Amino acid sequence: MTIYKEENFNYIYNGLKEIDQDIHHFCLTATEETIYHRLAKRGDEYGGWQYQQAPKCVEAFKDEKFQTRIITDHLETSEIIELILRKVLSK
């Protein structure tokens, strides 16, 4: 889920943290070019809402509150899953 607005992020993250202190947050990032390519590949209409959100999200995710970043531009889904599992299981 993409949550780039600070108020929404804090609400959800803090709510989950109340349930379980051992929460893991990963911020999957990519360049705008990669995001646009992925949107086109899945059939989204060029210039639509999803395309308009990309620049805002890319900029917002530079904030340090998005601590554990995984740059996904050149990764397959299985590689991302493996990275996340390694990080979660190593704690």
Side-chain angles (χ1 to χ4, degrees):
M1 173 185 294
T2 302
I3 305 170
Y4 71 93
K5 293 182 180 177
E6 185 170 1
E7 181 179 325
N8 296 353
F9 173 83
N10 289 336
Y11 177 78
I12 291 170
Y13 183 81
N14 292 331
L16 290 171
K17 200 164 188 152
E18 285 180 20
I19 296 168
D20 186 350
Q21 287 292 313
D22 191 26
I23 187 171
H24 299 275
H25 168 251
F26 298 95
C27 184
L28 307 181
T29 65
T31 63
E32 283 182 49
E33 181 181 335
T34 297
I35 293 168
Y36 294 149
H37 173 75
R38 290 174 180 169
L39 291 172
K41 188 175 176 182
R42 74 179 194 186
D44 289 11
E45 183 179 335
Y46 180 75
W49 183 85
Q50 296 87 337
Y51 284 85
Q52 295 169 26
Q53 302 313 302
K56 291 185 257 185
C57 293
V58 168
E59 186 60 33
F61 292 152
K62 292 177 183 176
D63 190 295
E64 65 184 49
K65 77 173 156 277
F66 298 106
Q67 300 166 11
T68 306
R69 289 180 189 83
I70 299 174
I71 301 168
T72 66
D73 292 283
H74 304 290
L75 297 176
E76 297 293 326
T77 302
S78 60
E79 294 171 305
I80 297 166
I81 292 168
E82 182 63 32
L83 283 169
I84 291 171
L85 283 173
R86 267 192 260 137
K87 288 179 186 272
V88 169
L89 297 175
S90 70
K91 291 192 173 194

